[in-house]
Amino acid sequence: MRKTFKFQGNKEFWKQKLTSVKVDDAQEEEHSYPLKYALEVIGSTQESILEAGCGNGRTLRYFHQKGYNIKGFDFIGDTVQILKRCDPKLKIQVSDIKNLKYKSSSFDCILAFGLYHNLEEDDLATAIKETAKIMKNDERPCASFRADKFQISHKRFHGRL
């Protein structure tokens, strides 16, 4: 399996990357990735949405500014603090996709862009289970996977995403 990060661990890579750039403005282009796809699965502003691995916040901030019921998390605490300083009204916390603290069946929709393909195969299995646990029964995930990682793992998770 191809490794995404050759010279450092996943968490170290993302901490360095996310804390070295400014907080993203809310994404504006609704016909571009990832908003194009998120808007296809989100039904209304009243639905409970979680952005998993929200990074510097461009998707989270778009939906927050539009009045959607959205929460977000990232596993890099420094990034979460930067976003909170930028907009203290954001519902964001430090969490890890492999060990979520949300109640079962909490969210109508989970957004996860560029998150799962950064995990090793065993961690991916755990992350998918955690994601499924916190989604309501109508399960509407909206996630992106790098093709090579997905091809390796799709048989194990067939039917879940």
Side-chain angles (χ1 to χ4, degrees):
M1 180 181 323
R2 186 175 114 199
K3 302 288 184 196
T4 303
F5 310 108
K6 296 179 181 178
F7 303 111
Q8 59 192 157
N10 190 28
K11 191 165 190 170
E12 292 79 20
F13 172 87
W14 285 107
K15 181 175 183 176
Q16 181 181 359
K17 182 173 180 160
L18 293 174
T19 57
S20 66
V21 297
K22 71 178 186 84
V23 170
D24 288 336
D25 292 330
Q27 185 174 354
E28 295 177 4
E29 181 52 56
E30 294 177 353
H31 301 290
S32 297
Y33 170 87
L35 282 183
K36 174 182 178 179
Y37 303 103
L39 290 166
E40 288 178 11
V41 298
I42 296 171
S44 77
T45 58
Q46 302 308 306
E47 292 182 335
S48 55
I49 306 163
L50 177 67
E51 186 180 11
C54 62
N56 281 346
R58 69 184 181 133
T59 305
L60 176 73
R61 294 182 70 211
Y62 168 87
F63 285 107
H64 172 73
Q65 290 175 2
K66 299 283 185 182
Y68 284 79
N69 179 21
I70 189 166
K71 294 180 180 179
F73 75 83
D74 202 277
F75 75 143
I76 305 298
D78 293 344
T79 300
V80 170
Q81 291 308 315
I82 291 167
L83 277 168
K84 284 182 177 182
R85 283 193 301 269
C86 177
D87 185 347
K89 293 182 181 179
L90 286 175
K91 297 174 187 171
I92 184 172
Q93 66 180 17
V94 177
S95 193
D96 189 317
I97 191 68
K98 299 175 304 217
N99 186 22
L100 297 173
K101 305 297 185 213
Y102 302 100
K103 293 179 184 175
S104 294
S105 302
S106 296
F107 296 97
D108 294 302
C109 184
I110 309 289
L111 305 176
F113 299 109
L115 172 67
Y116 298 114
H117 63 246
N118 288 300
L119 301 171
E120 295 298 326
E121 194 166 348
D122 289 343
D123 290 340
L124 178 59
T126 302
I128 297 294
K129 288 175 187 172
E130 285 289 295
T131 302
K133 179 181 78 174
I134 64 170
M135 286 191 300
K136 292 182 181 176
N137 289 333
D138 59 356
E139 298 186 9
R140 286 181 297 153
C142 186
S144 63
F145 284 84
R146 197 178 68 220
D148 61 334
K149 193 70 141 195
F150 183 72
Q151 290 169 346
I152 291 166
S153 304
H154 82 283
K155 289 181 184 176
R156 181 182 298 185
F157 309 116
H158 183 70
R160 292 307 304 159
L161 285 177

